[in-house]
Each structure stands twice: as C-alpha cells, then as structure tokens.
Amino acid sequence: MFARRDNKADRDKKIATVSPVSGEQMERLPEMSLSEILHDPKEHVQFLNKYCYGKDPDLTKDIIDSLEQNNVLNGTQDAWLEKMRGEYNMRKLEVENIRQYLTPEDFKRIAAIDPRIGEVVGKIGPEKAEELIEGEFFDLLISDPKAFANMVRQLRAEKDLRERKDVKRLEKLVEGSLAKTGLTEDEFMDAGAAGSPADIEKRFRELTHEKMPAFLQAINFRNWLNKRAANELLLHYQDQETFLKESDKHLKSIGGILRGTLNADVKKAVQRYMLEGGSIEKKPEENVTTIEQYRLVKHENDSATIQAGFEAAKKAYNAAQKPGARVPEADWDKPAYSAKLDEVKDAYSEKLYRKQLKTKGAGAFGALLAYLFGSRTKDDIKNSLK
Amino acid sequence: MTHDTQLAAMEDALENGGEAGLERYIIDHFEELPKDVQGKALVGFLREAVEGSAEIEQIQNDGIAAIDTITAMKEQVAKNGLG
C-alpha cells in the first residue's frame, strides 16, 4: 500500500541536523518509510498508537480501522499519515541522539552519583538499561517536549562536568575549604546549612550574585600586595575589625550553604527542586512526590470515587440543560437517553484520562503510578462507568 | 505475582519504609516488573541523579572559590592590617 512512498530519493532527503526540541546537533539517519514502520510490530505501536494517537485520536482511530480492514486510505488520511511519518522520524532521531550521553562509561559515572542506578544496571546490563530509557524518553518527548529538552540539557551538562572532575574530589575540596574557615559545625548550621533545599539554593544565589560581588571587588586577592588594592580596601572598610567581622559573616553564610550540599538528603531534595522547575511555587499540581499525594491519586482513581464522580457529572449535565432537555434521574439507562448518557460518559472519561496523563511522579513514584494506572485507556475508564 | 498483589506489595513498601522503602522494593524486584514500569523507575532515578547535579556542583565550585579567597584575605589582613 505504501510502496510508492518507499522511494529511495524521498527517504534520503536531507533532514534537519539540529533538534528543534533540544537544540542538539544530530547525526543524519535514514528515515523509515511508512511500509517499514507499519511492518515492524514495535514501530507500528509506537507510531500509530502513541505518536499519531497523541496528535489526533479520532483520525488515528479511523486510520487504524481502515488498515485493519485492508481498506485504502482517503486523501486526507494519506497526507496526514505521511506528515506524521516525517515528524515521527525526527522524534526518533532526537531520542537516538541521547545515546551519546548514556554509554556504558556514562552509566558507570552516573552510578557513582546514584547507587540505585548502579544496582539496576548491574542487574540488567547497560544495553538493556539504555533500551528502557530510550522508550521512556520517546514518551517524554511526545508528552512533554520541554521536559525532554531539559533532560537532554542536564545529561549534557552532567557529562561535561563529570568528565572534567571526579565528584568525590570536589566534595573533598569543599570539606577542605570549610575546615579553613575555622568555624564550627553549629555556626554553619545557624548560618545556612538548615532550611529547605530550595532556601539553600536561593540563599546562595542571592549571596553570590547580589551581596558578594561588591565585597569581593573591594579586595582583589591577586593584587593583595598591590598598594592600589590595599587603598581600595581602606576606602571600603575603615578598620580591620569591621573588615574581619564582614569576612566572617560571609564565610558563615557561604560555608553553611556548602555544608548543605554535602548532605545526601539535601542534595537529593535540591535535585528534586530543580526537577520541578527551580521553584517550589511553580510545582505542578499533578506532580506526586510524597506518600500523601500518592494516596490522594489512588483514592481519586478507585472505582467508587470514579463512579461517584460520574453521578456528579450527570447531575452537572442536567443542571446545565433547560428543564425540557434534562434527563430524569431514574431514566439515564433508558434507550431514549442512551445518546446523552454516552455524551456524559465520554466527556467524564476524557477528563479523567487527561488528568491521568498529566499525573507524573518523581523518582520511584513514577514507577508506582505507572503500575497503578497500568495500561488504562480512556475507553477503559468509560467502559467501567455504570 | 498478579498485578494487584505486586501493586499491594509496592504500596506496603511505601507505607512501611517511605520512598526509600519503595525504591528498595523496586530495585530488589526490578526484573519482575513490567517493562514500562522498569523504564519509568530507571528514568525517575536518572532524572534525580542528573537534574540539579550540575547546579549543585556549580554552587560547590563557586563556594570553594569564595571561601578560599576570603580566608586568605583574612590571614593577610590579620598579619599586615589594612593600611
């Protein structure tokens, strides 16, 4: 059916070498033809059921029905499917591009930061781990291109940094610097090691970008023996005691923050804070990061709550109708009102399904939510409504 | 293990051990989990490992430089005074 589009010239057409999503430079790969995609079981599902369905569920459903019945697609379906093929190939290229950041060496390095990854990769091997991650990244690219781009940026930044220095060495340097200050652990805690990780990060940025530069400018250490620098210092600080007090104040603040970054729980929480967009205020409601939030999601998705919500949806439907168009409460199941019942069921299940797709979990909660929802589709929700 | 039994076991691990308990369960039973759940777990861990690590390291580098500069200056001022 798609033989005419398996033309080599079409397939070898130049594709963009810069990702429109992540901005990454990408190596050209041969595009897959529609015939190749549809004859490969894995590609078939990923292309039609995930990518195309995400773009236009109704059109995709019609196309799937036609293909299953061996019917010829109409002009609109044909053109749209070809457009999707082009986009799909680009999306695949973007995900393939991630491989450069997930080599076996990269996994070893990341495992040093996060032993959980080390344990999992130790069980399944780096190739299987890469395959699993690619699958998830494809879903992420389709559902949340911004989060995908951010992930690519972080992988690149992390690789750049880690290839330059060893994380343990940096932590030793931090310990060394803190020891030089002569301040006690308690003094650090009072100054800034306590508080939420979001506060710690914010305090540090304020300190180093706003308050510190003026102080540091007055004391150019490299020119310490330079008389001009010493005169500049004198202008800023009239006496030694004030200068030393000011120095200690800054040491305590910075030291406190640095101390915080050595704590594994604080580090993890800072990372989670960055994952959520760098601001607690911007945290999306659908993000599940605590047991309480998980319990709430589970409760919202149990069958009793869903059914109760459906009853409320029927009442809300009636409330929005003129008196003559309302469905009597006891008559919803009657054939005369089957179209209206289907309309309410469809709208309600669509609302729940969209919420399900937006519900994300950080870390292990992501896996738990995936298990909770399983392969539940909008139709599964709709068919469960009584 | 059935889906419901496995889900109940994961939830028990969460209720009894918090997120650390859930993570431990997922890692210990990783190969029993469905492929998409494995992928979600692995990407979840990866995102936590990578996201923010660059920012933390930058904070550490900046902090070390600032502390080293100030402590050296303090020593000099204490020895030679400001004038």
Side-chain angles (χ1 to χ4, degrees), chain B residues 16-74:
Chain B
N16 294 327
E19 198 180 341
L22 174 62
E23 285 175 359
R24 188 72 256 154
Y25 183 92
I26 288 171
I27 293 169
D28 289 344
H29 296 87
F30 195 81
E31 288 165 290
E32 298 161 30
L33 301 172
K35 205 170 160 192
D36 64 321
V37 177
Q38 290 180 343
K40 286 272 187 307
L42 199 47
V43 168
F45 296 158
L46 181 66
R47 287 183 82 175
E48 286 193 329
V50 165
E51 292 254 4
S53 64
E55 279 80 358
I56 286 173
E57 190 150 323
Q58 196 59 51
I59 290 172
Q60 288 176 330
N61 277 318
D62 291 349
I64 288 169
I67 282 184
D68 287 353
T69 300
I70 297 171
T71 49
M73 263 173 3
K74 272 185 66 182

Side-chain angles (χ1 to χ4, degrees), chain A residues 157-346:
Chain A
E158 192 275 335
K159 182 162 177 159
D160 285 346
L161 274 172
R162 300 298 171 191
E163 277 177 350
R164 283 204 309 270
K165 49 173 67 78
D166 167 50
V167 64
K168 293 280 182 232
R169 186 177 146 267
L170 181 58
E171 294 197 342
K172 278 199 172 72
L173 285 174
V174 170
E175 291 277 13
S177 276
L178 290 172
K180 269 191 222 174
T181 63
L183 298 171
T184 66
E185 186 76 24
D186 285 343
E187 283 175 298
F188 284 138
M189 289 303 293
D190 288 342
S196 80
D199 293 335
I200 288 175
E201 206 267 350
K202 193 171 169 225
R203 267 206 305 281
F204 186 80
R205 292 288 166 225
E206 274 170 9
L207 189 68
T208 56
H209 291 245
E210 291 161 28
K211 294 176 189 158
M212 283 292 298
F215 178 72
L216 288 176
Q217 263 163 32
I219 39 98
N220 185 341
F221 173 63
R222 285 190 205 95
N223 294 328
W224 181 249
L225 296 176
N226 180 299
K227 197 164 184 215
R228 191 167 72 87
N231 287 339
E232 276 171 3
L233 254 174
L234 200 59
L235 284 172
H236 262 273
Y237 296 97
Q238 298 304 308
D239 62 84
Q240 186 169 317
E241 194 185 333
T242 310
F243 175 80
L244 290 174
K245 268 192 187 151
E246 189 77 5
S247 301
D248 275 348
K249 197 175 84 178
H250 286 302
L251 276 179
K252 279 182 192 174
S253 299
I254 298 170
I257 291 162
L258 268 191
R259 174 62 64 197
T261 65
L262 293 180
N263 177 291
D265 288 339
V266 167
K267 265 172 91 164
K268 189 172 165 183
V270 169
Q271 284 168 336
R272 189 161 285 183
Y273 158 74
M274 299 309 297
L275 195 68
E276 289 168 3
S279 164
I280 296 296
E281 290 77 32
K282 283 194 231 154
K283 186 170 136 182
E285 276 177 30
E286 298 87 2
N287 236 8
V288 174
T289 58
T290 66
I291 297 179
E292 290 74 26
Q293 287 165 339
Y294 173 74
R295 286 185 196 135
L296 183 61
V297 169
K298 183 161 184 194
H299 170 70
E300 284 173 350
N301 286 278
D302 73 33
S303 47
T305 307
I306 288 178
Q307 191 61 36
F310 178 53
E311 297 305 321
K314 285 194 278 188
K315 286 193 167 83
Y317 174 87
N318 267 342
Q321 306 303 311
K322 290 186 182 147
R326 289 175 191 159
V327 178
E329 209 178 305
D331 293 349
W332 275 103
D333 289 332
K334 290 198 172 149
Y337 301 107
S338 61
K340 292 192 181 188
L341 181 66
D342 190 73
E343 186 188 331
V344 178
K345 276 188 179 180
D346 198 79

